[in-house]
Amino acid sequence: EVQLLESGGDLVQPGGSLRLSCAASGFTFGIYTMAWVRQAPGMGLEWVSAINLGGRTFYADSVQGRFIISKDSSDNTLYLQMNSLRAEDTAVYYCAKEGGHTLPFDSWGQGTLVTVSS
Amino acid sequence: EIWLTQSPATLSLSPGDRATLSCRASQSVSSFLAWYQQKPGQAPRLLIYGASNRATGIPARFSGSGSGTDFTLTISSLEPEDYALYYCQERFTGWTFGQGTKVEVK
């Protein structure tokens, strides 16, 4: 059974940094594209970043240059380093697994809440 | 960048009704279109991929159709557990989501 468990969400001041983690199990982590998707309070889903099996990274314009996605295939963990945080980054952040090349997200974590406020 | 526009924003229907949700892309996404269901406090769940293929475990009352720029998610007969938010997503050029359609009880 695929399991994705996010952690690291917290209250952080504007301009601060935070690192999210997603512990994956139940599948061969290294061969799937993994991603972060966020949802601001009362709002829709927004794709944030993705990393493919070769380690190529992709970012939404809203986080380009501030967020860094990475993965450690030796311990099946996905990361999101978030820098220069803004109030508009406040959201639940979900870790998601693609079902295969160009397939959508077939597994999601339960989410971790990031609040950016002074 | 591809934009996805979902309509209507809210659909008010009774149990047993047929629900028809629309997703329109700003340019062709071929058949690389997925639908998700999200209930309050829960992560999204994949319903449909490749525009018309049901994901594992999804009931037959859910169906998807369309290609290019116009797509439809149909729920043939609403069950109480189907009242939720529904999002479309393209996987042709990236991972863009539509803004969602809420299916609520009439």
Side-chain angles (χ1 to χ4, degrees):
Chain A
E1 178 192 5
V2 172
Q3 290 195 348
L4 300 171
L5 184 62
E6 303 95 336
S7 60
D10 205 347
L11 171 63
V12 61
Q13 292 189 342
S17 297
L18 204 59
R19 189 176 84 156
L20 305 183
S21 300
C22 171
S25 61
F27 64 102
T28 307
F29 179 77
I31 67 171
Y32 289 95
T33 292
M34 299 294 296
W36 292 95
V37 176
R38 69 185 179 184
Q39 187 169 36
M43 303 296 285
L45 301 171
E46 179 188 17
W47 168 74
V48 172
S49 182
I51 184 167
N52 70 10
L53 76 168
R56 184 180 177 189
T57 58
F58 306 84
Y59 298 96
D61 289 345
S62 58
V63 307
Q64 180 77 49
R66 300 188 298 122
F67 290 11
I68 300 171
I69 190 171
S70 62
K71 64 179 180 178
D72 185 339
S73 295
S74 66
D75 71 355
N76 294 348
T77 303
L78 178 72
Y79 300 99
L80 185 68
Q81 176 67 42
M82 303 186 294
N83 302 320
S84 303
L85 283 161
R86 306 165 180 168
E88 54 265 35
D89 295 318
T90 294
V92 173
Y93 285 73
Y94 294 101
C95 167
K97 165 191 166 291
E98 274 202 339
H101 180 58
T102 71
L103 291 177
F105 302 128
D106 63 355
S107 298
W108 297 68
Q110 86 292 344
T112 187
L113 176 62
V114 173
T115 303
V116 184
S117 175
S118 54
Chain B
E1 184 177 357
I2 292 177
W3 296 94
L4 298 178
T5 302
Q6 292 187 238
S7 61
T10 303
L11 203 50
S12 299
L13 296 168
S14 301
D17 284 350
R18 182 184 188 89
T20 303
L21 288 68
S22 174
C23 177
R24 176 165 291 178
S26 57
Q27 63 190 76
S28 176
V29 297
S30 185
S31 294
F32 293 92
L33 195 287
W35 291 92
Y36 298 86
Q37 178 193 66
Q38 187 182 33
K39 296 179 180 180
Q42 296 185 16
R45 176 176 71 147
L46 178 64
L47 297 175
I48 301 288
Y49 66 94
S52 61
N53 303 288
R54 275 189 302 276
T56 303
I58 301 304
R61 64 181 181 273
F62 291 92
S63 64
S65 63
S67 66
T69 61
D70 290 297
F71 301 87
T72 301
L73 173 69
T74 302
I75 310 171
S76 60
S77 178
L78 279 166
E79 297 288 339
E81 61 267 29
D82 299 336
Y83 292 93
L85 279 161
Y86 292 84
Y87 295 93
C88 58
Q89 181 203 30
E90 67 91 4
R91 192 55 194 96
F92 186 61
T93 65
W95 293 269
T96 303
F97 289 93
Q99 81 279 18
T101 290
K102 181 180 181 181
V103 177
E104 67 175 22
V105 179
K106 183 175 181 180

